[in-house]
Amino acid sequence: MADNKTIAIKNGYVFDPLNEIDGEIMDIFIKGGKVVHELSDADKKNSKVIDAKGMTVMPGGVDSHSHIAGAKVNGGRMMRPEDSYKWTRKKTSLTHSGTGYTVPSVYLEGYQYSQMGYTTVFEAAVPPLEARHTHEEMRSIPMIDTGGYLVLGNNWFLMRYLRDGEIERAANYVAWMMRTHKTYGIKCVNPAGVENWGWAENIGALDEANIHFGVTPREMIHGLCEINELLGLPMSMHLHCNNLGQPGCFEITKDSLEIPSHIKTKQNLDVEWAETKVDSKRKQSVYLTHAQFNSFGGTGWGDFESGTKAIIDHVNQTDYIVMDSGCVPFGEATVMTGDGPAIHNLYKLTGNKWSNTDVEMECGSGILPFTYLKSNPIHSVQWAMGLELLLLVKDVWKSIMTTDHPNGGTFLKYPNVIAWLMSQEAREATFNECHQWARDRSDLGAVEREMSLYDIAVLTRANPARTVGISHRKGSLGIGADGDVTIYNMDPTNLDTRDYENLVSNFSQAEYTVKDGGIVSRQGEIVAIPQKRTYYADVTVNEQGEKDMLADVKEWFKYYTVGFAHYPTPDSYLMNPTPIKINAEG
């Protein structure tokens, strides 16, 4: 285990957007796992010193949307045996062996994220009934701090409560569920539609009521956003819109984003905040996830085109929306989502093997192996769309870089996405390898913007941390922040964006990854296994209100295949459980 060491990182070019530091040469000091202003003379004598002269220094990477643990992810591993024999990592005296590319084994996930400079990753979809399994996998992922979002957009209790206008009871239920399953935020997938999928149906419009509960997607989106702010949860409500992956779906996405426009943001965390110059509390009431898959244009596959402009314009004109991109960097992927109908649509298109699961009264999911090809016209447009969503949103603080791992592609392709964002020449080189539709049916070819290292630090550190409400300790190098630092062997004063292969190489392998003040990765070699944490929202609500709600829950629990006493996830399933205290009582 790596100790919380005293460390001095000297002479590096520091990029820390939450403190408005843009490439300044400065020193970073860490003691007891936290960033400090200065080290005493005695501490300096015993500290580890890294000379980062000529190098780029950023906070540790934060991935706010990835699929790294749980029954669905494990199902993806079983459906991709070729992943295991084509991609292997040998055991060392310090590390476990591992296999897998699009869906790596748990040990490999931690090592690979750390080698790239990431220290914190959030699992984007935790079915309540399968929370124990998800935590079992997350506790086995080394190196990185983790947390998970609870899937609630088709939950029977919530559909019933919101249909009947019982918003307080619904909020008490969500608070109890967060504590019960040790999860962090609200995830809403194909609201009201996944329940229909259990009966071979779906929902295609915001005001279409589902079969048995008579609740609409509009009611679910508005209700969950309202609950999120009533409770003061760390992150915005995490929204996966209806009709995902279907031509023309940008329209329902845009309409969905308008629903919470009047809901006031209220983040109510009882935590100690690291010092930052920028207000590190979240600003948005809705977090649109994997926006690329929600932004398809056209009326069918024959006239398919990018529909991102409507989404980008709406995000540019408002202040209550944040989104992650869901980029497609080409190559092998494993499509996995709580949106079973979307997976079935892909199965009908591709004929690939697929699986589907219904998780009792809560949600569902589907899995399908996939390959994105530069020669494919649809895939080429998707590649362009993911980059459009990042390059054409004017305020970089409204967007986050992801691949929706492993849906758009593996997180190992993040360096490729960064290179495309920073280098117009890199984009042109890929255009020349793509189907002509990429240029003809998107706006990317006219984009001259090249992002800076400061922008990249916003997209991969500062804004993911602020958006999910972990910026009180992650995503910055302010005094009191966790001592998580990434050092890349790049001199920003001598950076040639035309040499985009060098960008890919440097972002693929950090010179140093520091977690909690200890060096854990050095030039791609894992040198220490740090202690990790599992974050969850510990919400306190009115005691009588929760008691009344639980009486109702226990009555309906007769429909579950497990007993009520076996439903909660005990602390023992978590590695170093770390509650984020929230007092919503009132």
Side-chain angles (χ1 to χ4, degrees), residues 222-244:
H222 185 277
L224 289 174
C225 285
E226 187 176 356
I227 289 167
N228 199 78
E229 306 312 330
L230 280 173
L231 296 176
L233 293 180
M235 63 180 285
S236 311
M237 200 276 280
H238 199 49
L239 178 61
H240 162 137
C241 295
N242 303 87
N243 295 345
L244 176 136

Side-chain angles (χ1 to χ4, degrees), residues 304-308 380-385 388 392 431 436-447:
F304 176 82
E305 62 181 358
S306 170
T308 62
S380 293
V381 177
Q382 287 185 266
W383 164 76
M385 289 167 59
E388 285 178 328
L392 293 176
F431 267 127
Q436 186 65 28
W437 276 24
R439 199 182 292 272
D440 294 346
R441 303 195 181 196
S442 78
D443 295 327
L444 183 63
V447 178

Side-chain angles (χ1 to χ4, degrees), residues 561-576:
T561 59
V562 300
F564 184 79
H566 299 289
Y567 190 54
T569 302
D571 278 358
S572 59
Y573 280 73
L574 281 66
M575 179 64 74
N576 192 13

Side-chain angles (χ1 to χ4, degrees), residues 255-289:
D255 292 343
S256 297
L257 292 175
E258 292 175 355
I259 294 170
S261 61
H262 66 284
I263 295 177
K264 186 177 179 180
T265 302
K266 179 190 173 186
Q267 189 187 51
N268 185 27
L269 309 186
D270 183 12
V271 297
E272 292 185 12
W273 292 84
E275 293 181 13
T276 57
K277 288 186 179 179
V278 174
D279 185 358
S280 59
K281 293 182 179 180
R282 67 173 169 90
K283 303 291 188 291
Q284 297 84 10
S285 57
V286 64
Y287 172 0
L288 173 65
T289 186

Side-chain angles (χ1 to χ4, degrees), residues 248-362:
C249 68
F250 79 89
E251 294 183 358
I252 196 170
T253 298
K254 181 178 179 298
D255 292 343
S256 297
L257 292 175
E258 292 175 355
I259 294 170
S261 61
H262 66 284
I263 295 177
K264 186 177 179 180
T265 302
K266 179 190 173 186
Q267 189 187 51
N268 185 27
L269 309 186
D270 183 12
V271 297
E272 292 185 12
W273 292 84
E275 293 181 13
T276 57
K277 288 186 179 179
V278 174
D279 185 358
S280 59
K281 293 182 179 180
R282 67 173 169 90
K283 303 291 188 291
Q284 297 84 10
S285 57
V286 64
Y287 172 0
L288 173 65
T289 186
H290 42 62
Q292 179 269 135
F293 293 106
N294 285 292
S295 302
F296 285 13
T299 60
W301 298 114
D303 66 352
F304 176 82
E305 62 181 358
S306 170
T308 62
K309 186 178 186 305
I311 307 303
I312 292 167
D313 287 348
H314 193 57
V315 172
N316 281 334
Q317 294 164 9
T318 60
D319 293 321
Y320 64 91
I321 303 166
V322 65
M323 66 180 182
D324 70 59
S325 56
C327 290
V328 169
F330 295 116
E332 292 297 312
T334 300
V335 185
M336 56 176 65
T337 173
D339 193 345
I343 291 293
H344 186 251
N345 289 336
L346 275 180
Y347 160 70
K348 289 190 293 184
L349 281 171
T350 66
N352 290 357
K353 57 186 175 182
W354 70 293
S355 70
N356 185 85
T357 299
D358 181 63
V359 186
E360 299 193 16
M361 299 164 60
E362 299 178 340

Side-chain angles (χ1 to χ4, degrees), residues 3-277:
D3 296 326
N4 286 342
K5 299 176 180 178
T6 303
I7 191 168
I9 301 167
K10 302 182 73 67
N11 307 316
Y13 292 98
V14 176
F15 294 85
D16 179 7
L18 281 170
N19 284 292
E20 299 180 334
I21 299 171
D22 186 3
E24 297 177 33
I25 297 177
M26 57 188 298
D27 301 337
I28 303 297
F29 302 105
I30 302 168
K31 181 180 179 181
K34 296 286 187 179
V35 178
V36 295
H37 178 69
E38 182 62 274
L39 297 177
S40 68
D41 290 340
D43 287 332
K44 287 178 181 178
K45 290 180 181 179
N46 298 316
S47 67
K48 168 71 178 176
V49 177
I50 297 176
D51 186 0
K53 183 177 181 180
M55 298 185 189
T56 295
V57 179
M58 295 182 180
V62 178
D63 194 343
S64 60
H65 185 106
S66 187
H67 298 282
I68 55 173
K72 179 178 62 185
V73 178
N74 213 29
R77 295 185 181 109
M78 290 187 288
M79 290 185 70
R80 295 301 299 260
E82 64 276 17
D83 256 17
S84 293
Y85 65 76
K86 287 183 178 180
W87 193 274
T88 62
R89 182 190 182 104
K90 291 183 179 179
K91 177 183 182 297
T92 72
S93 59
L94 182 64
T95 64
H96 291 265
S97 61
T99 65
Y101 177 59
T102 62
V103 197
S105 57
V106 287
Y107 295 115
L108 199 53
E109 286 175 325
Y111 304 147
Q112 289 173 335
Y113 262 116
S114 184
Q115 288 167 329
M116 289 169 53
Y118 279 75
T119 58
T120 309
V121 182
F122 284 87
E123 162 55 49
V126 181
L129 196 61
E130 295 174 347
R132 287 193 184 201
H133 176 92
T134 305
H135 282 296
E136 284 179 314
E137 290 200 16
M138 283 201 296
R139 70 171 287 129
S140 296
I141 300 173
M143 316 296 291
I144 55 176
D145 292 346
T146 55
Y149 311 151
L150 197 64
V151 182
L152 293 172
N154 290 270
N155 182 283
W156 282 22
F157 293 98
L158 283 173
M159 287 190 292
R160 187 163 58 104
Y161 290 150
L162 294 177
R163 177 199 64 197
D164 297 341
E166 296 187 79
I167 192 70
E168 290 187 10
R169 184 163 291 209
N172 288 332
Y173 175 77
V174 170
W176 174 75
M177 288 284 277
M178 290 288 171
R179 293 198 317 275
T180 294
H181 298 296
K182 308 298 189 295
T183 46
Y184 188 85
I186 296 174
K187 175 69 175 289
C188 178
V189 179
N190 187 0
V194 176
E195 168 60 20
N196 270 16
W197 184 237
W199 309 92
E201 299 289 343
N202 196 7
I203 278 184
L206 284 176
D207 295 309
E208 178 184 346
N210 69 1
I211 297 173
H212 296 104
F213 290 87
V215 68
T216 69
R218 185 183 302 278
E219 290 170 318
M220 294 303 297
I221 293 169
H222 185 277
L224 289 174
C225 285
E226 187 176 356
I227 289 167
N228 199 78
E229 306 312 330
L230 280 173
L231 296 176
L233 293 180
M235 63 180 285
S236 311
M237 200 276 280
H238 199 49
L239 178 61
H240 162 137
C241 295
N242 303 87
N243 295 345
L244 176 136
Q246 297 183 37
C249 68
F250 79 89
E251 294 183 358
I252 196 170
T253 298
K254 181 178 179 298
D255 292 343
S256 297
L257 292 175
E258 292 175 355
I259 294 170
S261 61
H262 66 284
I263 295 177
K264 186 177 179 180
T265 302
K266 179 190 173 186
Q267 189 187 51
N268 185 27
L269 309 186
D270 183 12
V271 297
E272 292 185 12
W273 292 84
E275 293 181 13
T276 57
K277 288 186 179 179

